[in-house]
Amino acid sequence: MSTFLGMPATRAGRGPSPDAAPGTLGGVGRPEDPLHWGATFPHAAKAALANEQLRRNLGNATSTIRSKRARVVGEVPDWEALRDAGSAIKTDVMARLPELLEALERNVTARGGVVHWARDAAEANRIVAGIVREKQADEVVKVKSMATQEIGLNEALAEEGIAAVETDLAELIVQLADDMPSHILVPAIHRNRTEIRDIFLERMADAPPDLTDVPHELAMAARAHLRRKFLSAKVAISGANFAVADSGTLAVVESEGNGRMCLTLPETLITVMGIEKLVPTYRDLEVFLQLLPRSSTGERMNPYTSLWTGVTPGDGPQEFHLVLLDNGRTKVLADEAGRSALHCIRCSACLNVCPVYERVGGHAYGSVYPGPIGAILTPQLTGEKSDLPYASTLCGACYQVCPVKIDIPSILVELRAREVELAGSSPDAADRVWKAAMKAASYAMADGARFRRAARLPRALRAISRHGVIRRLPFPGSLWTRSRDLMEPPRQTFRDWWAEREDDR
Amino acid sequence: MSDARTEILSRIRTALGSSTPEPGTVSTAVPREYRSLGDHAPGAAEVLDLLVDRLEDYKARVHRVTAADLPALLARLLAEVPASSVVVPAGVEGAWLGALADVEVRTDSREAPLSATELDGIDAVVTAARVAVAETGTIVLDGEPDQGRRAVSLVPDVHVCVVRTDQVVQTVPEAVRLLDADPGRPQTWISGPSATSDIELDRVEGVHGPRTLHVALVS
């Protein structure tokens, strides 16, 4: 294995690795903090790499979706122009955020909706629980939503005696298995069909006992299971893909129809939305409704998109609440270098092309936002010291596929630089060794003869290599090999090879 | 302690610092070099062929008919289900259903809505549409009386959607421009029957929404 994770230092773990988690179905359990759970990235990655089933599931899934995306993006002649527009619209949104949020609030209110503001997860959860209690509902149906994952809404509602039922197939699988999502779009991407059948048989009381692992049959079992809930639910909770400031229109993009069920049938709808999800005008949807489906599921258009504006008398929910969520977003906004992480439209294209994500999976990131976007967004949202900026090879594939052109590699480098500066003020052993090594390298490289001699030194390491790979160096080299393998150095340095070649001519 | 609204807005203003522009100004010029018009006019033969191709790619069943033949087509499609009941929004043209035999026709409107449970007992729904986008195989309903409440086109298992050929545009921006006249209407954009790719990214058609989508393209 020679994936270079670029991890200069590891820190103490924050709990068990994903593999050591409880539950017979292999779920990792529901964490206290959805943005910060499990082992640190290097430890979690190591455990994940040893899980061959996980790597097979992920390899199949990501390669499938990569080729689907490439095909449908390839057929759009003005794709780059759409990306330019998408990026510029989001830049404009961030610059005018107060004005646009006020406009959204005004327009939603004018159409009979109620707007709430939540500074953090606890406040958002309190608002939602309060509305549900007021409706005297003990069960709510939910549309897949990253914002409600991020604030741990289901757990907060459970504490209030309210059962939140996830209705997206993958979210249902994750919920039944007491697991965490491992992908923004396909939260159960780490599970294969056999595992899903086992989860249904064990945890879904009305699953047919002769259920096979054919995807169509599994989907039909979920349909039957949720149908009654859709028809009887009093309250639904959703996120939002877009909110149009100048009309007050909300948009949810989905595939299965569970979204339409939740957004249409219950009497009360509560939508929890990050404050960055705005677009200024209805017209801007013509850009994002082209960019999102092709980047996300690799479809020309997703099966269903619902757009609603406040309350429509006689059609759909007659009570609508919109919860505008900060929860760290203003911290990200304050960071001029990292601000564009808020442009993300949660398509997950960057996860699917990332060589690191493909190998370690989503759980290793210890956040509901995994992959390249998670590696920049998570530490910025929490404001905590993090290993995640190092969970990248900086290959740049994420930037290339990002529909709103977020320069993820540059932000990663910036975040790494800050970590190093932070370490500079209170260096640990690894930091000191790293500094010494850099100093030594600088001395050796400053002089041709010194460099020639120094370059020959690593040849000695051939003695400890096995099958061309060195897995562990003695200290202080162990600091390097702790999270990476080292390729066996060549018998001959390039300079020696060149000199010999010149001699032979 | 200030209220959450005041505090969040003030956090944002602080975060943006001096870069906050005056309200009403567009701080960044948004380049819109992308196509806002298709190569072909709405309803052109090329556009219709493209729509049919895209719809069929996502397993919708497309039928091209003349207005005169529409009632017979609807009767045949419902018999095929077989549907003993069908719901139509109150604004649907009565003539469309003129050829039905042995099918109970229920009418639904905002003023006289059927309950979700009632809709669940109905076999099929017939609606009109507002606009269709050829390049993406998308049909948009905007809740007007001939398209109905959103629940009507959702709960029954078979949706027959009648689209006039002059309603078919080539690109998404053309459709958005049209819908922009009334952005407040509840819209449902439909691209094929409901589907999921949540199990190993294998596409399965038909989950919670109608499992069968028929599109009658009327010239």
Side-chain angles (χ1 to χ4, degrees), chain A residues 84-100:
Chain A
D84 288 336
S87 172
I89 291 168
K90 282 295 185 178
T91 304
D92 177 42
V93 165
M94 296 314 145
R96 294 195 289 140
L97 199 51
E99 168 201 345
L100 295 174

Side-chain angles (χ1 to χ4, degrees), chain A residues 98-118:
Chain A
E99 168 201 345
L100 295 174
L101 282 170
E102 283 166 338
L104 176 72
E105 180 187 44
R106 204 165 46 242
N107 290 317
V108 169
T109 310
R111 291 286 305 243
V114 182
V115 178
H116 309 259
W117 301 69

Side-chain angles (χ1 to χ4, degrees), chain A residues 1 48-49 51-59 358-359:
Chain A
M1 200 36 233
L49 287 172
N51 184 341
E52 282 179 34
Q53 178 73 60
L54 173 74
R55 290 183 55 195
R56 248 198 314 276
N57 295 356
L58 279 170
E358 184 179 1
R359 285 164 179 80

